């Protein structure tokens, strides 16, 4: 067996273990919390009082205007100057959550705004309150439209978690870096890490297609395409 292939086989288990223990949990937690934050931010910007709208806009402006890596460094390396000490994983979780929250808020705001005004009027005409109209009429329609961009954001997040290696989170990419430090084979190990990320993204992309088809079935898209 070639030495490069043996190296890839020997390092496969540590890389997969790091992915299961750190990369996947970090992705799921960050996306779930970020999605909730994004929904709250979007609703605030659309329906909130002016002071809260200004705060929401400022938050989105700051996060979208600065690199994710810089945000992680500020949280992990900068906050200790203020006496706020965070472990690597919580710091990464906060950073990714804030980042995802800002980007998903723009997606959610756009899809809620895309629901025709007549849907609100129809909901009100049958006696629904604002909250009922939002839960039963607006959000179900907006969700169907939001599936593709939110799915793309989730897939991008899987790859972006590699930035957590910069703040010492022992996820998949940093594990590859540690193995490189002992084997001096950067090309092979980094290609192997890239292939694992590619496999994860491919599986998620296939699931995204199935999810989109499921929602499109109720939206008239498949019929129009035929």
């Amino acid at each position: 067996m070639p030495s490069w292939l043996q190296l890839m086989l020997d390092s496969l288990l540590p890389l997969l273990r790091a992915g299961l223990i750190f990369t996947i949990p970090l992705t799921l937690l960050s996306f779930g919390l970020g999605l909730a934050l994004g929904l709250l931010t979007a609703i605030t910007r659309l329906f909130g009082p002016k002071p809260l709208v200004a705060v929401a806009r400022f938050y989105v402006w700051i996060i979208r205007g600065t690199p994710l890596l810089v945000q992680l460094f500020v949280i992990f390396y900068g906050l200790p100057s203020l006496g706020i000490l965070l472990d690597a994983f919580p710091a990464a979780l906060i950073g990714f959550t804030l980042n995802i929250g800002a980007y998903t808020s723009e997606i959610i705001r756009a899809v809620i705004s895309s629901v025709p005004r007549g849907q609100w009027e129809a909901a009100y005409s049958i006696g629904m309150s604002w909250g009922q109209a939002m839960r039963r009429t607006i959000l179900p329609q907006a969700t169907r439209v939001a599936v593709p961009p939110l799915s793309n954001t989730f897939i991008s997040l899987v790859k972006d978690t590699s930035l957590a290696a910069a703040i010492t989170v022992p996820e998949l990419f940093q594990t590859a870096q540690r193995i490189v430090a002992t084997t001096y084979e950067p090309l092979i190990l980094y290609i192997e890490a890239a292939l694992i990320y590619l496999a994860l993204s491919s599986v998620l992309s296939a699931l995204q297609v199935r999810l989109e088809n499921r929602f499109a079935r109720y939206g008239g898209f498949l019929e129009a395409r035929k």
Side-chain angles (χ1 to χ4, degrees):
M1 181 180 295
S3 59
W4 63 268
L5 182 57
Q6 185 62 51
L7 176 60
M8 293 184 74
L9 292 175
D10 292 340
S11 59
L12 181 59
L13 185 59
L15 292 177
L16 292 179
R17 185 185 299 116
L20 290 174
I21 296 176
F22 291 99
T23 300
I24 293 178
L26 181 59
T27 301
L28 294 176
L29 289 172
S30 299
F31 188 78
L33 295 173
L35 189 59
L37 179 59
L39 177 61
L40 178 62
T41 303
I43 291 177
T44 299
R45 292 191 63 181
L46 289 171
F47 308 106
K50 288 185 178 179
L52 290 182
V53 171
V55 172
R57 284 181 175 175
F58 180 76
Y59 155 63
V60 173
W61 174 66
I62 288 291
I63 296 298
R64 294 180 67 194
T66 55
L68 175 56
L69 184 60
V70 174
Q71 296 165 17
L72 293 174
F73 270 57
V74 168
I75 294 170
F76 186 68
Y77 295 112
L79 290 183
S81 300
L82 302 177
I84 303 174
L85 301 176
L86 295 171
D87 291 334
F89 189 88
L93 180 60
I94 293 172
F96 285 120
T97 296
L98 292 175
N99 190 270
I100 290 297
Y103 282 94
T104 57
S105 72
E106 292 297 280
I107 295 173
I108 295 171
R109 184 173 65 88
V111 297
I112 291 177
S113 299
S114 70
V115 177
R117 179 185 180 90
Q119 296 297 311
W120 286 99
E121 295 173 349
Y124 290 146
S125 69
I126 60 175
M128 288 188 186
S129 64
W130 181 90
Q132 290 173 329
M134 179 64 73
R135 292 195 309 271
R136 299 178 182 178
T137 303
I138 305 304
L139 286 182
Q141 296 183 61
T143 299
R144 185 174 63 244
V145 182
V147 165
L150 289 179
S151 298
N152 290 333
T153 301
F154 182 74
I155 294 172
S156 296
L157 178 60
V158 173
K159 297 173 290 183
D160 289 343
T161 54
S162 60
L163 294 175
I167 59 172
T168 72
V169 177
E171 45 73 62
L172 195 156
F173 184 64
Q174 198 197 58
T175 301
Q177 289 180 311
R178 291 178 177 178
I179 298 175
V180 167
T182 59
T183 61
Y184 303 102
E185 293 287 352
L187 180 61
I188 295 173
L189 271 301
Y190 290 150
I191 288 178
E192 184 175 17
L195 290 175
I196 295 175
Y197 282 114
L198 179 61
L200 288 172
S201 299
S202 299
V203 171
L204 292 173
S205 296
L207 293 175
Q208 175 185 352
V209 171
R210 296 188 63 177
L211 189 61
E212 288 180 11
N213 288 337
R214 180 179 178 86
F215 278 94
R217 191 177 307 163
Y218 305 102
F221 170 72
L222 292 182
E223 289 78 2
R225 184 173 63 181
K226 290 177 181 179

